[in-house]
Amino acid sequence: MSSSPPRAPSLADLPPPPAGKRGWPWTEASPALPAGAAPPPSITVVVPSYQQGAFLEETLRSVLLQGYPDLELLVMDGGSTDETLAVIRRYERWLAGWVSEKDGGQSAAINKGWRRARGELVTWLNSDDLLMPGWAAEASAAFVADPTLDLVSCDVHVIDQDSRIQALFTGHPAGAERIVVHWRTPFAQQGFLVRRSVVEAGGYVDESLHFAMDTELWLRLILSGRKLRHLPRPLGAVRVHPATKTSQLYKVLVANMLEVTRRFGETAPPDLRELAERARRRQHWNAAHINYDNRDHVAARRSALRHLSDDGWRALPRVAGMVTLSLLGDRGHDLLALWRRARSAA
C-alpha cells in the first residue's frame, strides 16, 4: 500500500502523542533547515518491522520529524499480529509506502524496501530504534561537502525500553581487521547513510544473514575500496530491551560471524591472506566469548576447544581458563567480574 505523504510534516500535522509522552520525538521536532539553502539529496529510510508495535510509533516519528524536505519513509512489516498495523494506519498518510506480509526476515525486508527506494541516499532503521534530531540534515550535508563519499555513519545512544539513555556507542576507523579478526563492528547501523547507487552496484544486504548483515555489508564496502566517513556525534539510538534478548540471538550472531569469516578466508586477495589466517585462528575464540557471555557454558567450552585446534598449543592457557570458568557456572562469572574490576583499578 502507498500514499503521497506531505514533505516534512510538523508536530502539528502528526497525531498527538500518547498521554505522558514528552520530548523527542513526541513534543519536539528537529531544527528547521536554513532558508534558501540548495536542495539537499533525497533520502529513503526503510523500517523493517515485526512485532515491535510498542516502539514503532516513536521510531516513525523520529524519522518524520527530521524536518527534511525530501525524505521518504517505507515500512516493510513481516505480518505482525500486535498493534503494528494500527500504528502504521495512524501514520499512513505520511508514509511513502508500506506492506504487511510474511517475508524472509529482516534482511529480505530491507532489500524489499531498498528496491522500492527513490532516494539518492538510503538507510534502514529497526522498528524499535530512533534517529535523533537533525540526523538527516547533518548526515546528508557530509555527502554534499564531499561528493566522493559512499557511506556516512555516526555515534549512537544506547537507550532502554523507556528511551532513557544508558550509554554511548562510538565509532572506530573502518577496517577489515576489526571485523573479521575481532568480530567488532566499526560503527553502529543506526543512522548510517549510503548512496543507493553503491548498493545497486555492490549488492544488497545478504539475505542469508539475519543478525550480522550490517557488519557483512560494511566489510564488503571496505574491501571494495568505498569511501566511508564517521561523524563523531550521536545522531541515532539503539534500543536494548527484554524483547531483544531472546535466547537464540547470540547463536544467530555466532553462526553469522563464522560464515562471514569463512567467506573472507575463501575470497581474500593475496595481500590479505595473512589477515585471513589470523581471522581463521581466532574465530572460535570469539565464538567462545559470545557463548560464555550469554551463559551458554557448554557451547563456550566447545568453541574454546575448537580454538585450541585452530591456534595450536600456544592457546592452551587461555582455553584452559575459559573451560575452567565455564565449569564454574555463575560463580565463574562472578570471579571474572572481580578480576576485571581489579585490573581496571590497577
Side-chain angles (χ1 to χ4, degrees):
M1 299 181 181
S2 63
S3 59
S4 297
R7 300 296 177 89
S10 67
L11 275 171
D13 294 325
L14 297 183
K21 297 289 187 180
R22 300 195 60 79
W24 173 261
W26 301 109
T27 57
E28 297 174 5
S30 291
L33 269 65
S42 55
I43 294 175
T44 296
V45 178
V46 172
V47 175
S49 168
Y50 186 67
Q51 300 292 86
Q52 295 285 355
F55 304 109
L56 180 60
E57 182 173 15
E58 190 173 4
T59 299
L60 299 183
R61 291 176 70 99
S62 79
V63 179
L64 295 171
L65 289 172
Q66 289 295 317
Y68 197 80
D70 198 353
L71 186 154
E72 68 171 1
L73 175 56
L74 301 169
V75 179
M76 301 289 112
D77 181 64
S80 296
T81 57
D82 61 0
E83 62 265 48
T84 292
L85 282 182
V87 174
I88 289 175
R89 291 192 173 107
R90 191 153 63 246
Y91 287 83
E92 181 176 14
R93 61 175 293 198
W94 297 282
L95 304 180
W98 67 274
V99 299
S100 183
E101 60 191 16
K102 187 175 181 179
D103 56 33
Q106 184 181 15
S107 297
I110 293 165
N111 284 343
K112 184 191 301 182
W114 276 2
R115 289 189 175 100
R116 297 185 180 194
R118 65 165 187 80
E120 179 185 347
L121 308 174
V122 299
T123 189
W124 85 80
L125 182 68
N126 300 328
S127 53
D128 53 354
D129 296 335
L130 302 177
L131 299 174
M132 301 309 291
W135 162 80
E138 188 162 355
S140 65
F143 288 93
V144 175
D146 183 355
T148 67
L149 276 180
D150 294 305
L151 181 145
V152 166
S153 62
C154 60
D155 294 339
V156 303
H157 291 300
V158 180
I159 59 175
D160 65 11
Q161 61 185 4
D162 298 314
S163 302
R164 294 173 298 201
I165 296 174
Q166 305 297 304
L168 178 67
F169 184 92
T170 57
H172 296 80
E177 179 178 356
R178 183 174 178 83
I179 294 174
V180 297
V181 176
H182 302 288
W183 285 16
R184 296 181 183 276
T185 183
F187 50 84
Q189 161 263 318
Q190 294 76 15
F192 86 96
L193 268 179
V194 63
R195 292 192 188 276
R196 180 161 55 91
S197 59
V198 169
V199 172
E200 293 171 343
Y204 289 76
V205 173
D206 188 331
E207 295 185 17
S208 71
L209 303 176
H210 299 287
F211 199 102
M213 64 282 195
D214 52 351
T215 303
E216 189 275 338
L217 178 60
W218 315 150
L219 178 62
R220 204 175 342 133
L221 295 177
I222 292 167
L223 295 177
S224 63
R226 295 295 184 174
K227 187 174 182 180
L228 285 62
R229 180 186 171 192
H230 185 79
L231 303 177
R233 288 172 290 286
L235 299 175
V238 55
R239 191 185 304 273
V240 177
H241 57 93
T244 64
K245 298 179 181 178
T246 70
S247 62
Q248 300 301 314
L249 279 182
Y250 73 92
K251 296 181 180 180
V252 177
L253 172 61
V254 167
N256 281 187
M257 287 307 300
L258 286 171
E259 176 64 13
V260 169
T261 306
R262 182 191 66 79
R263 292 181 195 173
F264 179 73
E266 292 180 351
T267 61
D271 62 320
L272 294 179
R273 286 297 177 189
E274 187 273 337
L275 184 64
E277 176 59 17
R278 288 172 56 203
R280 184 196 67 80
R281 293 199 310 266
R282 188 182 167 90
Q283 60 183 335
H284 288 104
W285 185 241
N286 293 330
H289 272 275
I290 294 173
N291 288 322
Y292 182 77
D293 288 344
N294 285 278
R295 298 179 185 266
D296 190 342
H297 299 130
V298 173
R301 290 195 293 274
R302 187 183 304 120
S303 295
L305 292 172
R306 287 289 301 275
H307 173 59
L308 182 62
S309 175
D310 291 339
D311 206 30
W313 291 108
R314 61 184 174 181
L316 183 59
R318 58 179 174 270
V319 168
M322 174 65 75
V323 170
T324 300
L325 286 172
S326 68
L327 288 171
L328 289 172
D330 289 342
R331 186 182 175 191
H333 288 270
D334 294 339
L335 290 173
L336 182 60
L338 286 172
W339 177 78
R340 286 173 173 167
R341 284 198 293 270
R343 188 178 66 169
S344 64

